[in-house]
Amino acid sequence: MPPPHPPPRGVAPAPAACPLFLLPRRSRRGLVLPAPSALSVAASHAHDALLLRRAADVADRSAGLTSPHPNFGCVIARPQFETDNAEAWVVGEGFLYAQGTPCAELLAAQEAGEHARGATAYLNLEPGDCYGDSTAVSSLVQAGITRAVVGLRHPLKHLRGKAIQSLRSEGIQVDVVGEDLHSKLFKEALKSCLTVNAPLLYRAAFRVPFSVLKYAMTADGKIAASSGHASWISGKASRGRVFQLRGRSDAVIVGGNTVRLDDPRLTARHVKGHVPVRIVMSQSLNLPEEANLWNVHDAYTIVATQRGARRDFQKKLALKGVEVVEFDMLNPRDVMSYCYDRGYLSVLWECGGNLAASAISASVIHKVYAFWAPKIIGGVNAPTPVGELGMNQMTQAIDLIDVSYEQIDRDMLMSGFIEPIPDLSPVIPSVDEIPSVDPEVSPYETNIISFYKTWDTFGAFSNFSPHPIHMPDENGDYFTWPTVEHYYQAHKFIGVDNPQAREIVQEIKLAKSPEEAARIGRTRQREFRELVQADWDSMKIDVMYRAIKCKFSTYSHLTGMLLSTAGSVLVESSPHDLFWGGGREGEGLNYLGRLLMQLRSEYLGTVQTTVEVGEPA
């Protein structure tokens, strides 16, 4: 066995090697902790606050990628006797890259290795146990962590306090800011923890996604010339910042005027990773036949409109791959409720003044980003960032809070919140019960268990869950697929005798997250229909069933979770996937829920048949 790696320069040796009289304080696990006299309480709090802010900064590296998960960051640190610089104490750190990837705590513990023993873990947010395996908690326990500092308890009711209690039951000292740590030194650290997960906190508190209004205007407050021409108001550096804002959002919203006048792409080009959905709000569907947004090669597009508007044009959009969603009365509040149902955490509004005013009046805008350019355009009829709000006196004006300013080349960026970041104990989002059919369940006493996103108790049932499966690849060799979704998307192209199809399979295999695998698979399917297996519609259910059966047989705790639902109808409550999910109003086929119930029945020995394939979606 090779000798253990030496500790980093200046890192104190493991506490067990120190004389007990120098380290008299012990945790409930019996491991020796640093003596309280080594640092004053104030200095200790200062170090804790600094490292907790670092955990929030680490978590922010994946902003926009983790949705629907929160942004998790973990920093593991051990005091060094040679320096008082807390940053130099760090022996490991990690963050959740995306849903379906290893958790922050596991990555930090792996990086710290043996140096994690006796160390403190700093967590911007209490870990969630969304996949039923407690990996976050067990990673810290097995690494030998003796203390954890937590910035925020989890905001979702069914996860709140669960991980903290689990850590304490393992003998780990857990200090929560505002509960166990009350120093004013934690004010900025707490603010960082709130800010990095503002989307989840707003969503949980207000039942709509966190919404940001962004606009660029001249020094005299115009967002375009009187003619409507607006390219470009801000400079290149500011436009680069806008790409970053898009990359942190689940969706970008514009109105019909923006499409007609600017023909935008609304992509996060030059920013790698997450690609937001583009949403166009138009009551009349008075939109051009050709537009950049109708090209769904790089990003998905949804058009929200009034029920019955231009049905012929709706069909044309559908043929281009654009999704059209009808509303009885199109307005920002209902569109945000729809985005909430789709699981979006953050939405960026890049619309004109009239739609911006309507969204502000509907109380769905929470933060503003205003880019000021040193230009004057003039014009009595030139549009302004926000239209009529019905305010007649300056005392009625909306005062932004927590305002900050940043110079970006020649431009100035001002940002501020309309609504403060909630720091509360919200309830888990409710899901309407969706009717389904299951031969094992009495139709008179039906219990519905819905799952879809990370906050659902049975989130482990999702095909995006981080459970690798060992199954054959295109060559018949066993391969460890990162998730069920990777396996499913790749099999659209496996078996097709074409070099390009094989390249697509490799691209999906290497996808860093199930979201990326799904985006690659769906995009390539739209682009190269001839490369998709000819009988894919009739075989996709069997492909998915083989994958989830392998997943549940591999992970015994998932099997136990599935069996615990006996007698209940399982519904994948995606509002937009009408094949695998239940749909927005129960119109979906819910095939993922059906397959899970089929598998449960096999485990219980009640049936031995397979689910029949319905009409292809």
Side-chain angles (χ1 to χ4, degrees), residues 222 224-228 378-384:
K222 309 297 184 180
S226 298
S227 64
V380 175
N381 297 320
T384 58

Side-chain angles (χ1 to χ4, degrees), residues 468-588:
I469 57 175
H470 197 57
M471 295 189 72
D473 61 8
E474 69 276 17
N475 301 315
D477 300 323
Y478 273 84
F479 174 77
T480 301
W481 300 87
T483 66
V484 168
E485 186 66 14
H486 283 76
Y487 178 86
Y488 174 79
Q489 293 294 339
H491 275 70
K492 293 177 178 179
F493 310 94
I494 285 180
V496 177
D497 187 16
N498 184 292
Q500 191 173 6
R502 290 190 286 272
E503 290 178 4
I504 294 173
V505 172
Q506 292 303 312
E507 188 180 8
I508 293 172
K509 278 184 170 183
L510 296 175
K512 293 182 179 180
S513 71
E515 179 193 22
E516 292 179 18
R519 184 170 66 246
I520 294 169
R522 293 165 184 165
T523 301
R524 300 297 179 265
Q525 183 180 12
R526 289 194 299 267
E527 291 177 329
F528 310 108
R529 295 183 184 275
E530 71 279 6
L531 299 181
V532 178
Q533 294 200 57
D535 55 350
W536 175 245
D537 281 336
S538 63
M539 64 182 292
K540 61 184 179 182
I541 291 180
D542 184 58
V543 170
M544 180 67 80
Y545 191 60
R546 290 200 307 267
I548 64 172
K549 191 169 185 178
C550 177
K551 167 181 156 181
F552 279 84
S553 62
T554 302
Y555 302 93
S556 58
H557 71 281
L558 294 184
T559 303
M561 182 183 293
L562 181 63
L563 294 177
S564 73
T565 67
S568 298
V569 173
L570 301 179
V571 177
E572 202 279 358
S573 55
S574 167
H576 58 90
D577 190 334
L578 301 185
F579 187 83
W580 295 112
R584 185 183 177 194
E585 298 175 352
E587 73 275 28

Side-chain angles (χ1 to χ4, degrees), residues 324-471:
V324 179
V325 180
E326 294 183 316
F327 292 82
D328 292 332
M329 185 63 69
L330 184 66
N331 60 77
R333 170 61 64 174
D334 286 350
V335 172
M336 285 299 91
S337 294
Y338 175 72
C339 290
Y340 175 91
D341 289 340
R342 288 189 80 128
Y344 296 164
L345 289 179
S346 184
V347 172
L348 181 64
W349 294 71
E350 295 194 48
C351 53
N354 290 335
L355 184 52
S358 180
I360 291 174
S361 297
S363 300
V364 297
I365 299 297
H366 306 118
K367 189 174 185 179
V368 174
Y369 279 87
F371 292 85
W372 286 330
K375 301 177 181 179
I376 295 177
I377 190 66
V380 175
N381 297 320
T384 58
V386 181
E388 180 59 53
L389 291 174
M391 298 179 183
N392 300 315
Q393 298 181 2
M394 192 56 66
T395 54
Q396 296 175 290
I398 299 171
D399 286 324
L400 300 183
I401 58 178
D402 197 14
V403 177
S404 62
Y405 301 89
E406 177 185 355
Q407 185 161 350
I408 303 178
D409 198 9
R410 298 180 69 244
D411 301 331
M412 180 67 72
L413 169 61
M414 184 277 293
S415 62
F417 290 87
I418 293 179
E419 296 277 357
I421 302 176
D423 183 12
L424 41 78
S425 305
V427 297
I428 181 173
S430 62
V431 180
D432 292 335
E433 293 189 347
I434 303 174
S436 185
V437 177
D438 187 326
E440 295 181 85
V441 182
S442 167
Y444 305 105
E445 298 178 0
T446 302
N447 178 40
I448 307 292
I449 293 179
S450 298
F451 64 95
Y452 174 41
K453 293 297 187 181
T454 184
W455 41 74
D456 297 323
T457 305
F458 292 90
F461 291 174
S462 168
N463 44 307
F464 278 49
S465 72
H467 296 100
I469 57 175
H470 197 57
M471 295 189 72

